[in-house]
Amino acid sequence: METEWKQQIETLREILVNSERLVFLGGAGVSTESGIPDYRSASGLYNQDSGEFYSGATILSHSFFMKHPDIFYRYYKGKLIHKEAKPNRAHEVLANLEADNHVSLIITQNIDGLHELAGSKLVYDIHGNMYRNYCIDCNKEYELDYIINTEKEVPRCNVCGGIIRPDVVLYEEGLDSELLQDAIRKISLADTMLVGGTSLEVNPARGLVQYFTGKNLVFINLEATGMDQWATMIIRGKIGEVLDATGL
């Protein structure tokens, strides 16, 4: 097994350093190694006590936010904001590959901003980013610290008094169609697609993989996905540990 593992890592390293248009697609499993819980696993957020009468999935919906912003923010601040989290080796290796002109796009389903903190610039946060916030009435933008440090239970705009909301995609809301279309374009042009830390059970992540027509489709995940038959290479493991082993 150890010999097979080393061979997989060597092959992966060769693929990565020879890629000219690598697209990465990552899910919650990329951030768990930074101490951020995922959503749907046995220990994930949706299987934890929300601390409220409502489930976490209910609280994180557009209609609930509009009706009960106080409950939303109690849950959001307590469960989803992880400013103390630091990029792990998955984020760092991808940033290094981008700096060396191997990466054309990083697509993340996470809202934690860790790819940007690691130094990546070519990032599409398709579910938004907790570091971006705005007033729903006048659109004034606010940094995360304003949300964290406000004394009010519901952050309010200091210009118009409107409710401030995080620039993240809630349930019942659509994703940015222009962002997705450009992601699809770059996936279709990629020579390598690296998928990690995601079960690929939920769209649009699952659908995005189907646009890849390049040479190397690599899955790095702890568990099997419903699209493993599409992959040209599968490595079982934590993505941070796997990418760290490449030495990149």
Side-chain angles (χ1 to χ4, degrees), residues 143-157:
E143 296 182 354
L144 179 60
D145 284 343
Y146 187 91
I147 304 298
I148 294 174
N149 297 328
T150 183
E151 295 180 358
K152 298 178 181 178
E153 192 166 36
V154 178
R156 293 276 180 174
C157 178

Side-chain angles (χ1 to χ4, degrees), residues 11 18 35 45 48 56-57 75 77 83 113 134 164 166 177-178 185 201 210-211 216-217 226 228 238-239 246-247:
T11 301
N18 286 299
L45 286 180
Q48 297 176 13
Y75 182 79
K77 289 180 180 180
K83 194 179 178 184
Y134 64 93
I164 299 169
S177 59
E178 290 186 8
R185 182 181 65 83
E201 293 179 359
Q210 300 178 50
Y211 290 95
N216 305 297
L217 179 56
D228 280 3
K238 296 180 178 180
I239 186 167
T246 66

Side-chain angles (χ1 to χ4, degrees), residues 206-223:
R206 180 181 178 87
L208 290 175
V209 175
Q210 300 178 50
Y211 290 95
F212 178 73
T213 58
K215 183 178 180 181
N216 305 297
L217 179 56
V218 181
F219 287 3
I220 303 174
N221 211 44
L222 283 170
E223 306 292 339

Side-chain angles (χ1 to χ4, degrees), residues 5 8-17 22-26 29-31 33 88-98 103 106 115 120 192-197 218-221 233 235-248:
W5 165 263
Q8 283 188 312
I9 296 301
E10 289 175 3
T11 301
L12 175 62
R13 190 183 195 283
E14 183 177 348
I15 288 172
L16 296 178
V17 298
L22 186 152
V23 171
F24 174 75
L25 173 63
V30 180
S31 295
E33 291 176 81
N88 60 56
R89 283 294 290 153
H91 303 103
E92 292 169 353
V93 170
L94 288 165
N96 292 341
L97 288 167
E98 181 184 314
V103 172
I106 292 172
H115 284 290
S120 292
T192 297
M193 187 169 187
L194 178 61
V195 181
V218 181
F219 287 3
I220 303 174
N221 211 44
M233 182 180 188
I235 301 179
R236 291 278 173 258
K238 296 180 178 180
I239 186 167
E241 293 179 359
V242 171
L243 292 183
D244 182 52
T246 66
L248 296 171

Side-chain angles (χ1 to χ4, degrees), residues 21 23 104-105 107 181-193 208-215:
R21 295 179 305 280
V23 171
S104 60
L105 183 63
I107 306 168
Q181 286 301 313
D182 196 54
I184 288 170
R185 182 181 65 83
K186 290 182 177 177
I187 290 170
S188 67
L189 295 173
D191 52 11
T192 297
M193 187 169 187
L208 290 175
V209 175
Q210 300 178 50
Y211 290 95
F212 178 73
T213 58
K215 183 178 180 181

Side-chain angles (χ1 to χ4, degrees), residues 68-109:
H68 307 287
D70 53 339
I71 299 175
F72 171 89
Y73 265 111
R74 282 202 301 269
Y75 182 79
Y76 181 73
K77 289 180 180 180
K79 299 289 189 178
L80 272 78
I81 293 179
H82 297 277
K83 194 179 178 184
E84 77 289 347
K86 304 297 181 185
N88 60 56
R89 283 294 290 153
H91 303 103
E92 292 169 353
V93 170
L94 288 165
N96 292 341
L97 288 167
E98 181 184 314
D100 290 337
N101 298 313
H102 298 294
V103 172
S104 60
L105 183 63
I106 292 172
I107 306 168
T108 177
Q109 301 173 77

